[in-house]
């Protein structure tokens, strides 16, 4: 790494706090600057003296310290780093982050930052498994906060299970790769479509599908993390808007196409949305009354967004990537779709019953380009996104 990168390390109050000393040592050895924020309960486990000695910097503890604010205000502290890392991240600090509570220096910095945040949870097994913690973590991840661990193993409390903080070396590797990745696509503009579309049947009903938006949103987040100026055009989903991404909310396929065209030109377009192939021809503006006779609905074909972007004469994005949602002959059908729609790459995934792809955490994809088919192992949707962005970066670097 040429330019020295800085991490703001937030240490909250858990027994795993002692591992931060080793984490700081490893990061410094890799020429990454570390500045520490220690919470009141964190200070029960490690001392500011040891953290300061290892980091070679002042340790910040108090939101209302006049000296600290004169040296570096809490807002500046939160933005001066390239990455914020919370390790250990207790159940308490995760809950505060989820609700936006800012009652000390650590939580205020986490609320005020405009930089990526990585958390390394560490707590008792039952606390980690508790629905409240699980939900807090899901919401935070939905906002783009990255997580490493917890790992499974013996806990300081005598129990066994998931709750141990990831090892310092593993956290350091994740930090290093996050810092290196963050500039790979800077200067690039990307459009991503995500989620389902809703096609009105009448004033109150619509046609839709099972897409949750998780895959498309994860891709948008990964693009933004890699430094791309990213616009996410999202159909109706229950997901929070990812941080660092401009989000345009649309409902129907026609609206999605219009939003995509408005956002051109772009260097990269990724169509992960499950766009309805048909819409109802002239849906009435009132609710269709039930009168003992089933209504006959006339369907019209929707515009194909992926094909339109791929075929755009003047403003075709340099790299257009589609997805193919298939229930049989997954790869063969996807190869045909790539050819018919004219996109550069197509990512095939099985959405058949029992695959868990729609709405699930993981995905098993096959990446198809002009050179052939690459089968990827089953990964979380976040991991698929990160690997896809690595492939895109590599492709663009090679091309230029
Ligand atoms: O949202 P999740 O729950 O996380 O699930 C992820 C996913 C299964 C939705 C996603 O991985 C995926 O496969 N997205 C594409 C879904 C789809 O509509 O596939 P398709 O094979 O019907 O369409 C092929 C391509 O054409 C897609 O890139 C699609 O966005 C695009 N398309 C389709 C129809 C249309 N009118 N316009 C389009 O742009």
């Amino acid at each position: 790494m040429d330019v020295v990168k800085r991490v703001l390390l937030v240490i909250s109050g858990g027994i795993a706090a002692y591992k931060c000393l080793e984490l700081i040592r490893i990061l410094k050895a890799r020429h990454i600057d570390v500045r520490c924020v220690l919470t009141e309960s964190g200070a029960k486990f490690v001392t500011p003296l040891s953290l300061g000695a290892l980091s070679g910097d002042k340790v910040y503890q108090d939101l209302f310290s006049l000296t600290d604010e004169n040296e570096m205000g809490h807002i500046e502290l939160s933005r001066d780093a390239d990455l914020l890392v919370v390790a250990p991240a207790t159940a308490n600090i995760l809950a505060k982050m989820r609700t936006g509570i800012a009652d000390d220096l650590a939580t205020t910095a986490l609320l005020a930052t405009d930089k990526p945040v990585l958390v390394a949870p560490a707590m008792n097994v039952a606390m980690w498994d508790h629905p409240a913690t699980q939900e807090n973590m899901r919401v935070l991840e939905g906002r783009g906060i990255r997580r490493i661990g917890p790992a499974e193993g013996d806990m300081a409390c005598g129990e066994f299970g998931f709750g141990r903080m990831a090892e310092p070396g593993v956290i350091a590797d994740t930090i290093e790769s996050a810092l290196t990745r963050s500039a790979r696509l800077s200067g690039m503009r990307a459009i991503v479509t995500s989620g389902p579309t809703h096609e009105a049947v009448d004033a109150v009903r619509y046609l839709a599908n099972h897409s949750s938006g998780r895959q498309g949103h994860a891709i948008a987040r990964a693009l933004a993390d890699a430094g791309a100026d990213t616009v996410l055009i999202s159909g109706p989903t229950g997901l929070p808007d990812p941080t660092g991404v401009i989000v345009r909310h649309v409902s129907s396929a026609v609206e999605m196409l219009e939003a995509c065209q408005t956002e051109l030109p772009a260097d990269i377009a990724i169509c992960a949305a499950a766009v309805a192939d048909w819409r109802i021809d002239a849906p009435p503006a009132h609710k269709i009354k039930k009168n003992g006779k089933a209504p006959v609905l006339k369907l019209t074909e929707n515009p194909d967004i992926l094909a339109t972007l791929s075929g755009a004469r003047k403003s075709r994005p340099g790299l257009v990537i589609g997805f193919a949602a298939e229930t049989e002959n997954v790869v063969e059908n996807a190869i045909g779709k790539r050819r018919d729609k004219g996109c550069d790459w197509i990512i095939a995934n099985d959405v058949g019953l029992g695959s868990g792809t729609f709405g699930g955490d993981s995905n098993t994809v096959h990446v198809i380009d002009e050179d052939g088919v690459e089968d990827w192992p089953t990964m979380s949707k976040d991991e698929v996104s990160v690997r896809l962005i690595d492939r895109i970066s590599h492709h663009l670097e090679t091309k230029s």
Side-chain angles (χ1 to χ4, degrees):
M1 231 175 292
D2 314 322
V3 188
V4 176
K5 298 276 186 175
R6 171 172 296 134
V7 164
L8 186 72
L9 179 62
V10 174
I11 300 144
S12 65
I15 183 72
Y18 78 91
K19 290 187 184 175
C20 281
L21 301 174
E22 178 63 0
L23 175 62
I24 297 168
R25 193 194 62 70
I26 300 173
L27 292 174
K28 295 290 285 183
R30 296 185 190 182
H31 307 291
I32 296 170
D33 266 1
V34 185
R35 182 171 278 154
C36 296
V37 170
L38 182 61
T39 67
E40 198 182 330
S41 40
K44 307 262 193 269
F45 295 91
V46 279
T47 66
L49 195 62
S50 9
L51 293 172
L54 281 165
S55 66
D57 204 336
K58 184 178 162 60
V59 175
Y60 292 79
Q61 290 181 270
D62 188 359
L63 180 58
F64 300 109
S65 155
L66 260 184
T67 334
D68 287 2
E69 282 295 310
N70 281 339
E71 282 175 20
M72 174 166 287
H74 58 277
I75 304 286
E76 197 186 338
L77 186 66
S78 74
R79 298 189 183 165
D80 185 54
D82 300 288
L83 177 73
L84 271 69
V85 178
V86 187
T90 57
N92 181 53
I93 202 162
L94 292 174
K96 286 183 179 179
M97 287 168 73
R98 186 250 167 108
T99 46
I101 292 173
D103 61 356
D104 62 5
L105 181 61
T107 47
T108 306
L110 286 160
L111 194 62
T113 192
D114 56 358
K115 295 295 167 15
V117 177
L118 171 75
V119 295
M123 65 198 72
N124 163 271
V125 187
M127 289 170 79
W128 173 248
D129 284 341
H130 195 285
T133 307
Q134 288 298 310
E135 193 188 326
N136 290 339
M137 199 62 250
R138 249 195 322 276
V139 171
L140 290 171
E141 286 183 280
R143 288 180 198 154
I145 287 182
R146 286 200 224 131
R147 167 168 69 89
I148 169 95
E152 191 179 29
D154 288 320
M155 312 279 298
C157 55
E159 292 181 21
F160 179 88
F162 283 95
R164 277 170 72 100
M165 188 168 91
E167 290 309 314
V170 178
I171 302 178
D173 289 348
T174 311
I175 290 174
E176 200 172 1
S177 93
L179 291 172
T180 326
R181 258 203 325 260
S182 66
R184 292 183 77 182
L185 293 180
S186 74
M188 296 272 167
R189 180 172 168 77
I191 299 177
V192 181
T193 69
S194 180
T197 61
H198 285 185
E199 308 298 330
V201 170
D202 64 11
V204 298
R205 304 176 178 97
Y206 57 82
L207 296 179
N209 58 64
H210 294 295
S211 168
S212 63
R214 294 180 77 167
Q215 184 63 80
H217 280 51
I219 291 172
R221 252 193 328 266
L223 282 162
D225 283 354
D229 177 8
T230 306
V231 183
L232 172 65
I233 298 166
S234 174
T237 74
L239 300 178
D241 290 350
T243 41
V245 170
I246 296 169
V247 186
R248 307 269 179 248
H249 294 277
V250 296
S251 186
S252 66
V254 169
E255 287 172 16
M256 189 173 270
L257 174 63
E258 277 169 14
C260 286
Q261 288 174 319
T262 308
E263 294 301 337
L264 290 173
D267 303 284
I268 304 162
I270 305 181
C271 294
V275 184
D277 288 316
W278 305 281
R279 65 178 184 278
I280 308 292
D281 197 13
H286 58 269
K287 183 181 173 193
I288 300 173
K289 289 282 176 212
K290 186 175 156 191
N291 60 6
K293 247 174 64 190
V296 177
L297 302 174
K298 185 164 175 260
L299 301 178
T300 302
E301 195 164 295
N302 266 329
D304 194 301
I305 301 165
L306 177 62
T308 309
L309 294 177
S310 301
R313 282 236 194 108
K314 280 197 197 140
S315 50
R316 185 192 195 278
L319 183 62
V320 182
I321 304 175
F323 270 75
E326 302 294 339
T327 53
E328 54 202 352
N329 303 324
V330 175
V331 171
E332 293 74 12
N333 288 344
I335 291 173
K337 268 187 190 162
R338 174 178 171 269
R339 188 189 51 235
D340 296 345
K341 301 200 184 217
C343 56
D344 301 300
W345 304 353
I346 201 150
I347 300 169
N349 46 196
D350 187 342
V351 294
L353 280 178
S355 68
T357 307
F358 273 132
D361 281 333
S362 59
N363 203 353
T364 312
V365 305
H366 314 269
V367 181
I368 299 159
D369 63 11
E370 60 182 0
D371 296 326
V373 182
E374 227 177 77
D375 300 319
W376 289 5
T378 302
M379 287 184 272
S380 74
K381 287 180 178 170
D382 279 333
E383 285 165 339
V384 168
S385 308
V386 169
R387 186 158 166 184
L388 177 63
I389 273 50
D390 284 346
R391 195 181 200 274
I392 292 173
S393 313
H394 180 71
H395 169 82
L396 296 175
E397 279 155 23
T398 319
K399 216 170 99 178
S400 65

